[in-house]
Amino acid sequence: MSLTEQFNAAAEKVKSLTKRPSDDEFLELYALFKQATVGDNETSKPGLLDLKAKAKWEAWGKQKGKSTDVAQKEYIAFAEGLVAKYA
């Protein structure tokens, strides 16, 4: 199975969690997913009052410079940990 196939499989597994991960875990998962699929965050910073969007933007920004392959590998490992913890 290729890295991309493993990444897609991990993304599908995360959708079937029976318990809700913490907000920090969601942010980490989101940031790794965005870095793996889009690359570096080049979007403008959200407004000061949009706290959810700002948290997501900042989490993604912390992944800057990480290659697609590295982000996919980290996402797979993190997702597997969440599945083991919350499935």
Side-chain angles (χ1 to χ4, degrees), residues 23-38:
D23 290 342
D24 288 339
E25 289 169 328
F26 266 129
L27 283 174
E28 181 73 14
L29 196 65
Y30 169 82
L32 288 169
F33 183 85
K34 291 296 276 188
Q35 189 68 26
T37 57
V38 178

Side-chain angles (χ1 to χ4, degrees), residues 1 3-14 75-76:
M1 187 182 284
L3 182 60
T4 301
E5 289 171 336
Q6 291 175 32
F7 173 78
N8 292 332
E12 286 301 314
K13 285 181 190 174
V14 167
Y75 180 92
I76 292 165

Side-chain angles (χ1 to χ4, degrees), residues 16-84:
S16 65
L17 296 177
T18 56
K19 296 178 186 164
R20 188 184 190 288
S22 73
D23 290 342
D24 288 339
E25 289 169 328
F26 266 129
L27 283 174
E28 181 73 14
L29 196 65
Y30 169 82
L32 288 169
F33 183 85
K34 291 296 276 188
Q35 189 68 26
T37 57
V38 178
D40 288 344
N41 184 355
E42 302 293 337
T43 62
S44 59
K45 189 172 184 175
L48 189 60
L49 298 177
D50 193 350
L51 299 178
K52 183 177 179 181
K54 185 179 175 198
K56 289 167 72 174
W57 186 87
E58 289 173 350
W60 183 12
K62 290 177 184 175
Q63 302 296 328
K64 188 171 188 155
K66 198 171 282 185
S67 72
T68 299
D69 286 351
V70 170
Q72 284 184 342
K73 287 175 186 173
E74 288 183 17
Y75 180 92
I76 292 165
F78 192 71
E80 287 175 358
L82 290 179
V83 168

